[in-house]
Amino acid sequence: MSQSNTSQSRGLARADTLDHIADVVVVGCGAAGASTAIAAAEAGASVIVLEAASAGGGTTAMAGGLIYMGCGTPIQTACGFSDTPEAMYEYLIRASGPNADPERVRLYVDGSLGHYDWLVAQGMEFKPEYYPTKNTNTPGDECLIYTGNEACTGFSEYAAPVPRGHKGRAMGEGGGSMLMEKLIASATAKGVRILCDTRARSTIVDDSGAVIGIAARSEGREILIGARRAVVLCAGGFIMNTEMVSRHAPWLQNHTTLNGNPNDDGSGIRIGLGAGGAAMNMNEGFVCLPFYPPASFVEAIMVDSRGQRFINEDCYHGRMGEAILKRYPERHFMVVDAGHLSDFNRPPLGGFRVTATGDTAEELEAELGMQPDTLAHTIRVYNRHALEGGDPLFRKHADYVRPLEGPYAACEVTPGSGAFFPVFTLGGLRARATGEVLDEEGNAIPGLFSAGRNSCGLPRSGAGYSSGMSIGDATFFGRLAGRSAAESPVRTMTTAR
Amino acid sequence: MSQSNTSQSRGLARADTLDHIADVVVVGCGAAGASTAIAAAEAGASVIVLEAASAGGGTTAMAGGLIYMGCGTPIQTACGFSDTPEAMYEYLIRASGPNADPERVRLYVDGSLGHYDWLVAQGMEFKPEYYPTKNTNTPGDECLIYTGNEACTGFSEYAAPVPRGHKGRAMGEGGGSMLMEKLIASATAKGVRILCDTRARSTIVDDSGAVIGIAARSEGREILIGARRAVVLCAGGFIMNTEMVSRHAPWLQNHTTLNGNPNDDGSGIRIGLGAGGAAMNMNEGFVCLPFYPPASFVEAIMVDSRGQRFINEDCYHGRMGEAILKRYPERHFMVVDAGHLSDFNRPPLGGFRVTATGDTAEELEAELGMQPDTLAHTIRVYNRHALEGGDPLFRKHADYVRPLEGPYAACEVTPGSGAFFPVFTLGGLRARATGEVLDEEGNAIPGLFSAGRNSCGLPRSGAGYSSGMSIGDATFFGRLAGRSAAESPVRTMTTAR
């Protein structure tokens, strides 16, 4: 039995006895790890979860708690929406971006109703109420909300729009912590042992390269945990690891706010690479610019320093944030009109403020230092089209298109100008939908699985991301990985080389 | 001694004797491999090069052969240009993009004059003649040409522009094959053995994880080649591996032309990953749209389907190609005017043709199906600024700015419309500038080195790429890797486990 560090198999175990042993050892107790543990326990496995922090929860416990589900959930139905597997698939395959995994999307869609039921079985409650206003989450305990680009150009042509963001019955941003409480309680009730303050350091591999356990540091000492059947890496992404981000996704570092918990340091990804797994999609990240709420700001236009529009402003705030951050350091502005001025009574969520004003478009343009007849022309064309009832240039939804009348104001939304750009990573271990970690050739590493942001999962594109795809992915594919791990063959535990 | 496949160390060698042995074993005989072999031989090492094809040359032998050099080469001086390390560094650090490696750029710049001398010592001749017209290469046997964005906005503000593309004395696109002839002849003269028709399959690693050789398939049989000191992977990029490109850089697959030789299949990258190395920058690629020659087309404007400009059209054709491909499937057009019509007597290199015409901008706009007063407004503003002598919106160089007068024509340059978008990959193994392959933690894999597109080298950004950076990188850092490999400690060759 040899112990690998996070990068490569080498060296011998310092101890020749195991401190703990279970059928399935899960690294990380966020949404993916807890769901994996529950599913493995449901399949009859003994399960140990290793959590680096002093309590489970992970980044999901810090999140708003939206879960992307559809195909006609009881909540969708109760709120009067009809959804189909076809519509959900067509939407998600585009939302997943150019790197979409059709098999993963298909499984996720076909399992969505079952996943809703599973969440309810874990103790989740969902209030059958739809929140109709464009927002980043439901402000009260309403369940259902649009959380992506479903009704927007580039998506609505292919799939009838329907809201699929589901939040458990908690107020505002409390959905994630409630979800984690339920999942951890369910896991514990099923006999899962959670070892907190225990940081996984490497896999333990046998002479054939199969993973048979984890070496960890627990409360100040090195311990070895044997995994009779499998190890499942669910330790999150790498947004907190500055070195990894600068190497793999440097564009995420331009005046952004890191969205994660301190243990989203890529350690689970590195442990998997050390065991022979491959990484993929490491350059991608989620970025958002929460320019709404208030929803009225969707009626504004976004322009660059040439006064040119570049996007349909009714898009999801993640698509907007990605577009602007990808064009960094180009300057960008949100242009609002007289109808919006009262919206500034309360500071907008996005962290930006008015940087220029003008009674006319020409005055605003001049105050912004733009060339004459650039922004003014953009507003003129936009207004002409708005009077005709649409936006043929960028096909912003007609609900948000109206002529913009002076006086005008512009808010700078360039990264670094004060605007708020939260980011996290969307790359990780290459894995099958059922969790098996693969090497660059596509071969599975025996005994090694992964789910959640530790792997490259369902959400693969900042431009297409919808809120709820990460927690949806972590819980759904965590379940699949837990089941696969529990069914993985028992391996011989040699305790000395 | 265990034999690894390309993905992971496992299994035993089938044979317990070596077919060949050398101090340094180089995989691949393109520009990087040949330069590595020469440098290792110069340092006193015995060297074997394994080449999958029936002859050395690699992709460099198919290339125009430009080499990016500066700091006042004899050719720059003879042609009346003065260059400095500061200017070259400031340019290259920006050309390398957000993922630039300052140490690598510094070494490359400081070693540039020495590299010129080294190339001459290998038999290269450079004709001291400057080709002043914007082009993708020198059409005759002239040596010196601008091959990037040196004189363009975003670069010229930081470093005085100077041409640094150097082609050996060969006509037109013959520079690459000539370079490879010289390098292979030099290597052979120094005692380097080149085994052609020999495809490396995996590293051979000892029990400590150090690389001690290569398992290969040579003329129909499996052979083992021992490396007393080091293996250097110089087997090229992965643009020919559809599966790898779709997983790591799917954006490169939208109606592009694969620019490489059939063995740019990522095998060297996969061999390095299998030995525990990490990959990086796998999402990046070089893309170009050779919209010039003729240089007069630089006076044209490029617009999207909204009639909006998006770039300074005097930029390097690689920067243009990247910008358009990244916005796929958005449609793009090159708008030319009466002054350009004779340029269509010969089909432009870029493969596009006139798709709409108009006596006036309004007619052209309508024929292109654009909204009224979009393209026409763009041309009006461009012309107004041109009459004032500049392009304040995108800061295209004044040399190429003049009012565009009807009749107009537009050529579609959308990928898939017939326009020519050659692409290759810019990601590979993570390595030190001196060649040591690193794992995800930054630890070197003992005995394993890499150079050229097998590794992530100097060029890391399609938007910043300059012609000559790849061959410059491959030859320069190949030399460093060859020296490092020759100085690597001798390892014990156990021939059975």
Side-chain angles (χ1 to χ4, degrees), chain A residues 196-218:
Chain A
C196 291
D197 295 312
T198 301
R199 182 176 297 276
R201 293 164 66 91
S202 67
T203 56
I204 306 169
V205 298
D206 68 15
D207 285 342
S208 76
V211 172
I212 54 171
I214 285 284
R217 189 168 179 83
S218 183

Side-chain angles (χ1 to χ4, degrees), chain A residues 5-11 98-99 207-209 243-244 246-248 250-251 269-271 273-283 304-310 327 371-374 377-378 380-381 384-385 388 392-395 430 439-446 497, chain B residues 5-11 98-99 207-209 243-244 246-248 250-251 269-271 273-283 304-310 327 371-374 377-378 380-381 384-385 388 392-395 430 439-446 497:
Chain A
N5 68 12
T6 54
S7 281
Q8 199 166 9
S9 302
R10 65 169 87 100
N99 217 356
D207 285 342
S208 76
E243 190 277 328
M244 280 181 78
S246 69
R247 188 149 38 85
H248 292 296
W251 69 283
I269 295 171
R270 288 178 282 131
I271 289 171
L273 291 172
M280 62 178 285
N281 213 41
M282 296 293 279
N283 180 62
D304 60 21
S305 68
R306 290 104 187 185
Q308 294 189 151
R309 289 175 70 212
F310 57 96
R327 295 161 132 231
Q371 292 295 317
D373 205 25
T374 53
H377 176 263
T378 296
R380 197 181 315 126
V381 171
R384 188 182 80 218
H385 291 149
E388 293 164 1
L393 291 182
F394 291 92
R395 291 180 290 158
R430 179 185 186 191
D439 66 18
E440 187 68 24
E441 309 289 332
N443 303 310
I445 312 296
R497 195 182 183 99
Chain B
N5 68 12
T6 55
S7 281
Q8 200 167 8
S9 302
R10 67 169 84 100
N99 216 355
D207 284 342
S208 76
E243 189 278 328
M244 282 182 77
S246 68
R247 188 149 39 85
H248 292 297
W251 68 284
I269 296 171
R270 288 178 282 131
I271 289 171
L273 291 171
M280 62 180 284
N281 213 41
M282 296 293 279
N283 180 61
D304 61 21
S305 68
R306 289 104 187 185
Q308 295 189 152
R309 288 175 69 213
F310 57 96
R327 295 162 133 233
Q371 292 296 316
D373 204 25
T374 53
H377 177 262
T378 296
R380 196 181 315 125
V381 170
R384 187 182 81 219
H385 291 150
E388 294 163 359
L393 290 181
F394 292 92
R395 292 181 290 158
R430 180 185 185 192
D439 66 19
E440 188 67 24
E441 309 289 332
N443 304 310
I445 312 295
R497 194 180 184 102

